[in-house]
Structure formats: structure tokens, C-alpha cells
Amino acid sequence: MEVITAKDLVSQTDVRLMASLYFKNSINRYWRNKRDSSGITNEEKSHLRQKLLSHLREENYQIALTLAVLISKIARIDYPKEWPELFSVLAQQIQSADVISSHRIFMILFRTLKELSTKRLTSDQRNFAEISSQFFDYSWHLWQSDMQTILNGFSSLAQITNSNASEHHHDELYLICERWFLCSKIIRQLIVSGFPSDEKSLQEVRPVKEVCPMLLKAIQSLLPYYSSFAEHHPKFFEFIRKACTKAMKILVAIQMRHPYSFGDQCVLPLVMDFCLNKITDPEPAIMSFDQFLIQCMSMAKIVLECKEYKPIMTGRVIDENVVTLEQRKKNIAGAVAGVLTSLLPNDRVVLLCNVLIRRYFVLTASDLEEWHQNPESFHHEQDAVLWSEKLRPCAEALYIVLFHNHSQLLGPVVVSILQEAMNGCPPSVTDITSGLLLKDAAYGAAAYIYYELSNYLSFKDWFNNALSLELTNDHPNMRIIHRKVALILGQWVSEIKDDTKRPVYCALIRLLQDRDLCVRLAASRSLYFHIEDAAFSQHEFSDLLPVCWKLSFKLVEDVQEFDSKVQVLNTVSVLIAYVGDIIPYANELVQFFQKSWEESSGESLLQIQLLTALRNFVVALGYKSPMCYSVLLPILVSGLDVNSPDELLEDSMQLWEAAISNAPSMVPQMLGYFPSLVDILERSFDHLKVAASIIEGYIILGGPEFLSLHASSVAKLFDLVVGNVNDRGLLSILPVIDVLIQCSPSDGPQLISSALQKMIVICLTGDDRVPTSTTVKASAAATLARILVTNTNFLAQLASEPSLLQLLQNAGFPVGENILLCLVDIWLDKVDNVNYIQKKTFGFALSIILTLRLPQVLDKLDQILSVCTSVILGGSEDTTEDESSSDSMSSSRPQFPSKEYRRRQMKISDPINQLSLEKLVRENLQTCASLHGEAFNTAMGRMHPAALAQLKQALKMT
């Protein structure tokens, strides 16, 4: 700070600028007190704040700007608690400041207000509202005074042709212009952020009615100097460009923030009428003022689509005396709608539509030159640019809103323009004439509003009689029309009926063969829309597939820009996903992916698209997916590497999951990737659902070989997840644990005993008030029941482990309870929360409990037998479709080894499916009777006669 303000260093601007930059960059790092750093002391901060406020008149603009940003950063942290005097000092200084000082103070004010306006806490917004009330009146009066000074100065300048005359006066006037510009931005900030939006409160924002007409008047006063200053006063010409554009932007921002106040009779009609006049009938000089016209169109667009200005079609309670907020909104909307109707009578709407199409949609000479020089850039600039950044996209956006509001009026108008353009320029014309450019504009107009225009135009007739004929002319100049034909074919996809699909597909393939890259990219994107469409006809497209692949691969090679490659990759990806048999093209696709991956090094977004396309390829290949392992496995290795970009991880895991799910067998390389999953889940559980599917795939596909090789990793994974994720995460991983127990009933439980202990804790201590927790408890209980059925001794041993007792004690579970009997209570309670197989598992587990030499079993005998009876008599009516259809599927078509096929086979051979619960309950009841003697008979005697009758029916006992 001392270097910046030192008088003896005033001439050494570079040293002072560097000091100011270092000071600014250190604020975020050192100004806040942090635990690991003492930072700057409060005394030092106070000294620096005072020093900054005493050095407001900085001569050098760059240093002044840096200091303004610096003060705003400190204010964000310190105002108002540590720096309450900031705005009062600035307000005091600004009263007596000269032009340069006031300019610098307004620079500080703007930067500080902009910074504080982004704070969203209620207290911060209240502080900002107080600042607004403090500064608005002064800023507004100065704005008006400066505007008058500027206009007087410009009036004098207009009579001077020598730009060197009175240079000092010019510099002072320019400084006032800059101050006025800063003042305008401050007023915008104060109105937009200093008052709550009237959209909800309906409270009139007074400054809107005062400021907006004056802003409009300022624009109207400055514009006449636009053309005359271009040659003789370039500095002030640039200011007029900047000022008029900014003033219109401020009007747009105010309308969006305070639509009801802006809708007042003294604001909206004036602004809207001015904008419409400038769009439809601009002065010759204004026609090249693109940024200003864009703001005029933006204003017209947001007003036409503003929902607050739409009539509200709701009723009102009869004889209701109180005018509700909704009724007030309805009244205002009705009044504004009336204003807009008077501003936009039918003839003006038609004129605006005609002007937009015939003037603003037409390609200019500079457009055609840009297209010629770089077709790819032109394609993306025209179709991917934000509508508010370029004049033609902005005109298109306004046209779409206008048509939507007046479709019945404009439908015949657009069809008439289209017909006129086609008649004036037949398909045989090759010269770039005004007629050809109008046809291009009319085609664009018809493409953008297909959803409304289809009521007035038959696509089939249009295609057969005009669009298809355009493609027969191969002259280079016809690229203009060909591009729009490609656009139309993509936009009108929902209107293309069955009898026209084949010719349209052929037309798109023809357009993909065009010599112009812009046309080919447009065709590729439209092809994407057709393939992804629900009504896509594989039958009509199948014989076009070979040439389509060839042309798509060629297009990927020919394009250079990143956006182009991503777009074509999207088309390739949907082709793979939707076109059916991919096997004949597998080798070509493998080469394509190999080359594309090598060329995409360092381009993460491009690699994401490649991973998505490759996943679709693997799924499409199915059991023949090893055909692509030469490219798939190396890509998986790089994608799963902990050092690879994080943004690739999600798509790499989805590719991994697809590879496992479609693999006919486990190859050694894939087997070796499994430990990577431990590293991934140790970092984050973000991808747990996909990870669970991958683990399940390894268990089912890898079998005993996998478990023996990666036993420690499997144990670590389940122990890592169970107990450390929420209910949704548990619902992803618990079915996988059940699969492990099915595949390895003897060794599996021992392998994951730590995770199983946590599952017992979940069952016995979980919260039943939350539906997901109930589902988790039921799922975990079903897996524990399966262990009891398939490995009875292990569960009994696990239930008595000291480590489990410690876990239960830590969770607040009563000491001394019999864990196995507590699990019995869970099985009895959750039998209605599970599917049929899990119910049957509960039945088997409960029947085994009957064989225990525990008197408490007899206390639960009635409930146990009731559950077993309901399972036996209930049958398998709620068996999942996957299970019930497995036999019919296997007989209807050949089955190939894959994760899904093995899963079905595993379910068929599941002991729970094969064993007879009826037989087991009958045998275990006899065992229970012999163990407990007369006490058993007493317990049976307590059963309700109806329940006993059902039991006998279930066990076929006479």
C-alpha cells in the first residue's frame, strides 16, 4: 500500500501497478483469519482501509481500476461490521470531488455494489437496500446532470470537424462520459438488486417509472450523433455505441426484475414502440449497429413471452370484497395485455414477421465469406451460439415467440412467404441471388416453427414437390439451400409419416455426401434426431446402414473442431444403440474407436462421448463383445486409473459395467481390474450403484476363481460400504451380498463376516419410521435368513461373536438378549415387506428355529407357524417377471453365457426354489414336539382353531 501511494513513485507506474495487483490477489488468501494462518492483524486491516479511502484520486486508470476491485473484495468481507464508514466516506467525498475524483469514486461504488449484490443472506440484502436508498437520489441526479453536459458537448462537437481542436476539453468531456456510464451501471445495480422483485410483492418500484423513460430519452438523444461521429470523433463514437447498448441492456434487466412496474403506461408502451420501430424501420446507420438491434429484439422478445403479461384464465369468487394478490396480478396482466394489443395490431405483427424473415434471416456477404473460410465454425456459430449474442439467432428467437403468440395470424403469412420464395427461385437456379437468399431465409423460418406450421403446410407435399428436388442440383452454391434442407428434415421429424420416411432417410444420406462440411454436419445432426425418434424405422433404414457408417467415419476424419467431433460421435453413438445388428460393422467400429481414442488425448469432453459410444457398442455386441476387447480393455485401464481425470470416472465405470454384464466369460485381464473398485469406493461412494452392479457381475461371472483371487478385496469392499452409506446406498449393495451368499453358501459368509455383523446391527437397531429403513431392514434380514438356511452353524456362531455384541452395545441394543431370537422377531415382523423368494427364505429360517432347544421358541410357535402357513398357501403369485419367464425365454431362443443368463440359471438352481417348505416344516414340527414334549402340545393348543385348520391344510395333515 505504501508503494502504491508513495509520491516519489508516481512516475513509476509499472511498479505501482504490480504492487496494486499483488495487494488485490492477496485479499482472498490473507484477509480472512484462518485457523492455519494468522493472516493480517485487525490493526493492519484498519490502517489499510483508511489508507485506501484517503487515496481515491488515483491518476492512472489501470491502478484505479485495480484499487476499486480491491476495495470491493474487502467490502464483501468487512462491510458493515468491520467497515461501517465505507459508504458514508464515499458519499462525503463525492460531494466535493472534481471530475476525475468523482469518476474514481463511482468506479469504486460500482465494483463494491456489484460485489455486495451477490450476497444472498437476508441481512446482506437488507444492508444493500439501505445502501440503495442512500445513494440512489444522488446517483440519479448526477446521471441526469452528466447526460445534459454530454449532449451539450456533443452538440458543440458536431460543429467541429477537426478532432484535435480543444483536446483538453475533449478529455474532460470523455471523462464525464465515462462517469455517466459508471453511474448508469450503478443505477442498474441499485434498482435491480436494491428492491425486492415486484413479481411476488406487487409493490410498485418507484425508480422504474422515473428511470426507464429517461434512459429511453438518452438513447434517442445519443443516436443522432452515431453516424456523424464515426469519422471525426472515433472515441465518442465508440462511447455512443457502448452507451446505447448498455442503456438498452439496463431496460431489459429492469423489465426482467420488475415486470409489473415496467408494465406501467408511462414505461412499457414507450420502450416497446421504440424497439419495434428500430427493428422494422431503422435509420441506415443503425442497420449496421448489431449490438443495439440485438438489445431491441431482446426487449421485444422478453416482453412478448413475459408470463406476467399473459391474461390469467382463472375465475373469481362471487361477491368477494377483498381483492386478493392473484386478482391484482390478473388485473395488471389484463391491462398490460391490452397495451400490447394496441401496440401490436395485426398489420404490425405481419410487418414484423416479414421484416424478421426478409431482412434479418437473410445471409449477408460477410456470412458467406465466413462460411467459405471455415464451414465448421460457421455451422456451430449459427446453430450453437446463444441467441442473445448474434443478430440472426436473436431475430430467430424473437420470430419463434412472435409466431407462438400469433400462430393463427402468421401461419398463412409464413406459408405465403415460403411459396413466394420457392416460386421466385426454382431448384435449377445456381447463382447466389437475392431470390436464393430469400428462399434460404424462408426455409429457415419454416424449420423453426414446425410444431405450429404443420397445421398449414403438408410436409409430404413440400418434400416431394420442392425439398427433394433441391438435392438434385449439385452446384457448389446450392450448399446454402442444402444446409437448410438438412435443418428442415431434422426439425420436422415428428411430422414425417411412414410413407415419407424412406425418401427422407435417403435424402439425409445424400446430404452426408455433400462436398461442404457445414452441410454434412447439419445432415449428421438431423440424422441423429431421426434415429433417436421413437418412430424411427429400422426396416426402412437397414440397407442404408453400410454407407451411413462409411460416411460417418469419413466425417469424423474430415472435421477438425472439437464441437464437430462431439456432434458426429453423438450420431455414431445413437446409430450403434438403435440400428439393430451391429456385428457386420464391428471390425470397422473397433478401428474407429481405436483411432478416435488416440486422437482425443487430453480432451476429456470428447473422451466422455467416446466412452458413451463404446458402451453402446459393447451392449449392441452382447455376448460377442470380446470382439472389441482389443480397444475396450486398454481404454478401461486408462479410465479407471486413479490418476486419470475425475470427469472420466463415471463413464468409465458405466463402460466397465456394460463389459461385465455382456461378457460370455471372465478373461484374465478383466479379472485383474477388480482391485481398482476398492480404490474408487475408498475415494467416494458417488458411483456406488454402478459399482454394485460391477461387483455382482464379477461374483456371478467369475465364480470360485474370482473369490479365491480377490477374497480380501471383496471383504474390504462390503465392510467399507455396509454401515457407511445411507439407506439408498444399502439398497444397492444388499442384493449383491445376497447373490454372494447364493453363489458361495459355505465360504461367502465367512469371507464377509464383518459386513454381516453390521447387517445384524442394522436389523436390530434400525428406524422403522422411515420407509427406506424398513426396506433395508427387510432386505438385510432376508440375507441373514438365507445364511441360516444354507449355513446354519455359521449364523449361530456369528450371533455369539464378542465383536458383534460390542457393536450392538455401541448402538444402544440391550445387553444379554438372544441375538438369534431377536432376528426371529424381525423375520416375523418384516414378512409382508419382501418378495416371494424372500418370504420363502423367512419360512425356511423360521422352520429351522423350531429345532432349537429353547423354551422361548414355543412362545413364538403360533406366529412362526402362521408365517409358514401363509407362505405355503400363498404360492408364487408375486414371483417377478424375470423369474417366471426364465423357462419360456430359454426355450424360445438360444441362450448365450452372460451375466443375465447366469443370474437366471442361479435363480433356477437356488435351494430356496428347489426345497419344499411344506416338507421341512412338517419334519421340524416333529423335532420340536420331541424336544419340548408336553409344553409343545400346550403351545399348539393355544393356536386359534382357524389357524390350526390352515396349518393342517398347508402341511396336508389329516
Side-chain angles (χ1 to χ4, degrees):
M1 191 68 218
E2 299 302 324
V3 172
I4 298 168
T5 58
K7 293 182 179 179
D8 55 336
L9 293 176
V10 170
S11 60
Q12 298 184 35
T13 307
D14 53 345
V15 175
R16 294 172 59 239
L17 178 59
M18 186 169 289
S20 66
L21 287 170
Y22 275 122
F23 190 4
K24 175 179 73 73
N25 294 338
S26 67
I27 297 300
N28 289 339
R29 185 177 299 178
Y30 300 115
W31 199 267
R32 293 183 190 273
N33 291 326
K34 299 178 182 178
R35 283 181 294 180
D36 57 344
S37 171
S38 57
I40 304 171
T41 66
N42 290 332
E43 292 75 18
E44 289 171 325
K45 288 179 184 178
S46 178
H47 171 74
L48 289 169
R49 288 192 295 257
Q50 289 176 10
K51 198 81 173 175
L52 283 166
L53 290 180
S54 66
H55 187 72
L56 297 176
R57 197 183 191 284
E58 170 58 55
E59 296 281 347
N60 183 274
Y61 177 80
Q62 282 298 328
I63 296 174
L65 179 60
T66 307
L67 290 176
V69 174
L70 191 158
I71 290 171
S72 73
K73 286 178 173 289
I74 295 175
R76 183 178 183 89
I77 300 169
D78 286 359
Y79 181 82
K81 289 185 179 179
E82 307 298 328
W83 205 2
E85 73 277 11
L86 169 62
F87 286 103
S88 59
V89 170
L90 291 175
Q92 184 181 356
Q93 293 278 348
I94 207 171
Q95 305 287 342
S96 57
D98 58 11
V99 175
I100 188 168
S101 296
S102 63
H103 177 272
R104 301 310 190 232
I105 292 170
F106 271 102
M107 192 185 289
I108 293 167
L109 271 173
F110 168 65
R111 292 287 171 180
T112 306
L113 290 171
K114 186 177 181 181
E115 189 72 43
L116 294 179
S117 70
T118 61
K119 299 179 78 173
R120 301 263 59 91
L121 291 178
T122 305
S123 57
D124 294 323
Q125 292 183 345
R126 195 182 305 117
N127 289 332
F128 195 90
E130 291 174 4
I131 297 168
S132 298
S133 62
Q134 180 182 354
F135 274 94
F136 178 77
D137 287 339
Y138 179 80
S139 301
W140 180 231
H141 290 141
L142 183 64
W143 183 95
Q144 294 176 89
S145 171
D146 280 353
M147 187 73 255
Q148 193 57 52
T149 304
I150 291 167
L151 291 175
N152 291 337
F154 282 5
S155 178
S156 302
L157 277 175
Q159 301 167 26
I160 303 172
T161 56
N162 181 6
S163 61
N164 294 321
S166 195
E167 194 64 42
H168 173 72
H169 174 70
H170 287 188
D171 288 345
E172 185 170 333
L173 180 60
Y174 188 73
L175 208 56
I176 293 173
C177 289
E178 285 293 301
R179 183 174 69 183
W180 177 89
F181 192 76
L182 279 170
C183 207
S184 298
K185 295 201 282 188
I186 287 170
I187 288 165
R188 175 204 179 279
Q189 210 71 54
L190 294 176
I191 294 176
V192 170
S193 301
F195 298 87
S197 173
D198 65 6
E199 180 186 345
K200 294 179 181 177
S201 66
L202 287 186
Q203 295 295 318
E204 182 185 275
V205 181
R206 179 187 58 81
V208 172
K209 294 168 66 174
E210 188 177 352
V211 169
C212 291
M214 293 299 292
L215 278 170
L216 183 61
K217 188 176 179 182
I219 296 169
Q220 292 169 325
S221 302
L222 290 172
L223 279 178
Y225 298 104
Y226 180 77
S227 58
S228 59
F229 279 18
E231 183 179 349
H232 299 295
H233 306 288
K235 188 162 67 170
F236 291 109
F237 168 75
E238 195 54 43
F239 164 74
I240 292 171
R241 286 178 62 88
K242 191 168 68 169
C244 291
T245 304
K246 175 56 72 174
M248 280 304 305
K249 282 185 175 180
I250 293 171
L251 288 170
V252 169
I254 291 173
Q255 193 285 331
M256 294 176 74
R257 177 67 172 171
H258 305 297
Y260 290 122
S261 299
F262 192 90
D264 189 86
Q265 193 70 35
C266 67
V267 180
L268 179 63
L270 298 177
V271 175
M272 193 66 173
D273 189 58
F274 172 81
C275 290
L276 293 173
N277 285 335
K278 291 303 173 191
I279 294 168
T280 56
D281 189 24
E283 296 83 354
I286 304 300
M287 289 188 69
S288 61
F289 193 175
D290 284 6
Q291 287 304 311
F292 179 70
L293 289 173
I294 285 171
Q295 294 310 315
C296 290
M297 290 182 185
S298 297
M299 174 58 76
K301 176 182 178 292
I302 63 170
V303 167
L304 289 175
E305 67 182 353
C306 180
K307 67 179 189 300
E308 285 77 24
Y309 299 162
K310 305 286 186 187
I312 301 173
M313 302 302 180
T314 55
R316 181 181 175 184
V317 178
I318 298 174
D319 296 330
E320 184 181 22
N321 294 322
V322 180
V323 179
T324 63
L325 193 68
E326 286 304 312
Q327 185 61 40
R328 288 174 60 199
K329 286 184 178 181
K330 183 177 179 181
N331 294 341
I332 297 172
V336 176
V339 170
L340 289 177
T341 302
S342 64
L343 277 172
L344 279 165
N346 287 352
D347 56 342
R348 197 174 195 182
V349 172
V350 172
L351 172 64
L352 180 57
C353 178
N354 267 283
V355 168
L356 289 172
I357 296 171
R358 296 174 186 273
R359 182 185 301 161
Y360 295 105
F361 284 18
V362 174
L363 294 172
T364 63
S366 61
D367 291 326
L368 295 174
E369 179 60 25
E370 182 186 343
W371 185 345
H372 176 71
Q373 293 296 331
N374 194 333
E376 285 185 69
S377 293
F378 182 80
H379 167 76
H380 295 297
E381 185 173 284
Q382 296 302 307
D383 297 308
V385 74
L386 284 174
W387 66 266
S388 57
E389 291 181 1
K390 292 276 187 177
L391 186 58
R392 187 179 303 103
C394 191
E396 290 164 357
L398 173 57
Y399 162 76
I400 290 168
V401 173
L402 183 71
F403 194 97
H404 179 73
N405 286 6
H406 305 276
S407 57
Q408 292 186 346
L409 171 66
L410 294 180
V413 173
V414 174
V415 172
S416 172
I417 295 172
L418 182 64
Q419 197 64 52
E420 175 196 334
M422 291 191 296
N423 292 338
C425 181
S428 57
V429 172
T430 55
D431 294 334
I432 301 178
T433 61
S434 58
L436 185 135
L437 294 176
L438 176 60
K439 182 162 70 170
D440 171 73
Y443 276 3
Y448 303 134
I449 40 87
Y450 63 92
Y451 51 90
E452 298 274 11
L453 201 61
S454 58
N455 296 325
Y456 304 92
L457 182 65
S458 164
F459 177 82
K460 181 179 178 180
D461 294 341
W462 186 24
F463 179 80
N464 291 334
N465 299 329
L467 299 181
S468 60
L469 301 180
E470 304 285 7
L471 304 185
T472 60
N473 188 339
D474 291 329
H475 192 279
N477 287 341
M478 287 302 290
R479 72 187 191 280
I480 297 170
I481 301 301
H482 288 177
R483 172 176 164 268
K484 278 293 162 65
V485 172
L487 173 68
I488 290 165
L489 297 184
Q491 292 291 321
W492 282 68
V493 60
S494 60
E495 303 301 321
I496 299 173
K497 306 307 178 187
D498 291 343
D499 55 345
T500 319
K501 286 185 184 297
R502 171 72 182 183
V504 167
Y505 296 157
C506 292
L508 286 170
I509 296 298
R510 182 163 185 165
L511 287 164
L512 274 176
Q513 296 170 304
D514 199 278
R515 284 170 291 187
D516 187 86
L517 264 182
C518 188
V519 175
R520 291 164 66 191
L521 284 167
S524 175
R525 186 185 53 191
S526 292
L527 184 63
Y528 172 91
F529 293 145
H530 278 270
I531 296 168
E532 203 179 40
D533 183 53
F536 174 64
S537 173
Q538 287 191 33
H539 172 70
E540 299 285 4
F541 194 80
S542 58
D543 64 316
L544 300 173
L545 202 51
V547 67
C548 186
W549 283 123
K550 182 180 177 182
L551 293 170
S552 297
F553 295 154
K554 181 72 168 59
L555 186 53
V556 172
E557 290 179 8
D558 291 346
V559 297
Q560 299 298 319
E561 294 195 5
F562 169 80
D563 287 337
S564 303
K565 290 184 179 293
V566 169
Q567 182 190 307
V568 183
L569 268 174
N570 280 335
T571 304
V572 169
S573 185
V574 296
L575 269 170
I576 292 170
Y578 292 107
V579 296
D581 187 14
I582 208 78
I583 305 299
Y585 318 102
N587 291 333
E588 290 177 86
L589 281 163
V590 166
Q591 293 171 19
F592 162 74
F593 281 117
Q594 185 75 54
K595 184 178 180 182
S596 298
W597 186 262
E598 290 169 359
E599 293 175 351
S600 68
S601 178
E603 296 279 5
S604 295
L605 291 175
L606 189 58
Q607 289 182 330
I608 287 171
Q609 299 298 326
L610 277 167
L611 289 169
T612 302
L614 187 53
R615 179 181 177 277
N616 288 343
F617 184 37
V618 170
V619 172
L621 287 172
Y623 75 98
K624 292 189 177 179
S625 58
M627 294 176 71
C628 71
Y629 280 6
S630 60
V631 64
L632 169 69
L633 298 180
I635 289 176
L636 267 183
V637 169
S638 64
L640 299 174
D641 187 346
V642 291
N643 298 316
S644 66
D646 286 343
E647 55 265 27
L648 295 181
L649 182 59
E650 181 178 356
D651 295 277
S652 297
M653 288 192 66
Q654 288 177 350
L655 176 60
W656 190 7
E657 192 265 343
I660 289 291
S661 296
N662 291 279
S665 61
M666 183 63 72
V667 296
Q669 299 98 310
M670 200 99 74
L671 202 57
Y673 299 161
F674 187 78
S676 299
L677 203 55
V678 180
D679 299 332
I680 290 167
L681 290 182
E682 281 182 334
R683 285 162 56 190
S684 167
F685 291 128
D686 289 347
H687 311 296
L688 180 59
K689 191 170 183 178
V690 179
S693 180
I694 292 170
I695 299 167
E696 183 184 55
Y698 271 95
I699 293 169
I700 293 173
L701 204 62
E705 181 189 3
F706 160 69
L707 289 175
S708 64
L709 190 62
H710 294 296
S712 60
S713 294
V714 172
K716 189 174 183 180
L717 270 174
F718 286 130
D719 191 45
L720 178 69
V721 175
V722 178
N724 294 314
V725 297
N726 59 18
D727 289 342
R728 195 169 68 174
L730 284 170
L731 290 174
S732 296
I733 207 69
L734 289 175
V736 184
I737 294 176
D738 198 66
V739 167
L740 173 63
I741 303 303
Q742 284 186 62
C743 291
S744 182
S746 55
D747 299 330
Q750 185 65 49
L751 181 65
I752 59 167
S753 60
S754 176
L756 292 174
Q757 288 182 18
K758 293 179 183 178
M759 286 168 61
I760 292 174
V761 173
I762 289 169
C763 284
L764 301 184
T765 62
D767 186 1
D768 272 334
R769 291 172 297 181
V770 182
T772 52
S773 296
T774 301
T775 309
V776 166
K777 286 179 71 171
S779 182
T783 300
L784 295 169
R786 177 179 289 278
I787 295 171
L788 182 65
V789 175
T790 57
N791 198 339
T792 306
N793 292 336
F794 175 80
L795 188 65
Q797 178 188 339
L798 184 68
S800 59
E801 287 283 343
S803 55
L804 171 61
L805 300 176
Q806 185 61 52
L807 283 174
L808 287 167
Q809 188 174 346
N810 294 342
F813 189 75
V815 182
E817 293 281 349
N818 186 304
I819 306 302
L820 210 51
L821 290 175
C822 291
L823 284 176
V824 169
D825 290 334
I826 298 296
W827 294 331
L828 292 170
D829 183 49
K830 302 302 175 194
V831 71
D832 292 326
N833 298 104
V834 294
N835 62 37
Y836 173 73
I837 290 296
Q838 291 172 322
K839 281 182 181 178
K840 196 174 179 184
T841 308
F842 282 172
F844 278 118
L846 291 170
S847 70
I848 290 171
I849 293 295
L850 295 175
T851 63
L852 298 183
R853 196 185 295 271
L854 291 172
Q856 296 95 322
V857 170
L858 296 179
D859 298 332
K860 305 176 189 298
L861 183 63
D862 187 0
Q863 292 173 278
I864 290 172
L865 292 177
S866 176
V867 167
C868 292
T869 301
S870 67
V871 173
I872 295 169
L873 295 178
S876 58
E877 63 273 4
D878 57 351
T879 304
T880 65
E881 184 182 339
D882 179 54
E883 293 161 4
S884 63
S885 62
S886 60
D887 291 334
S888 61
M889 286 178 68
S890 60
S891 61
S892 64
R893 59 182 174 83
Q895 289 296 305
F896 302 103
S898 67
K899 174 184 169 182
E900 266 322 301
Y901 172 73
R902 285 186 167 86
R903 192 211 302 269
R904 286 196 296 271
Q905 294 300 110
M906 186 180 72
K907 287 183 176 179
I908 292 168
S909 59
D910 184 0
I912 302 296
N913 263 328
Q914 292 186 335
L915 293 174
S916 168
L917 178 58
E918 173 193 330
K919 180 181 177 183
L920 189 65
V921 171
R922 192 185 301 114
E923 291 173 357
N924 289 349
L925 261 180
Q926 292 174 359
T927 304
C928 186
S930 62
L931 287 173
H932 298 284
E934 190 56 38
F936 171 80
N937 294 329
T938 305
M940 290 293 291
R942 290 197 295 267
M943 285 188 70
H944 191 280
L948 189 60
Q950 282 190 326
L951 175 65
K952 290 180 178 180
Q953 179 189 347
L955 300 183
K956 297 183 173 60
M957 296 167 60
T958 55

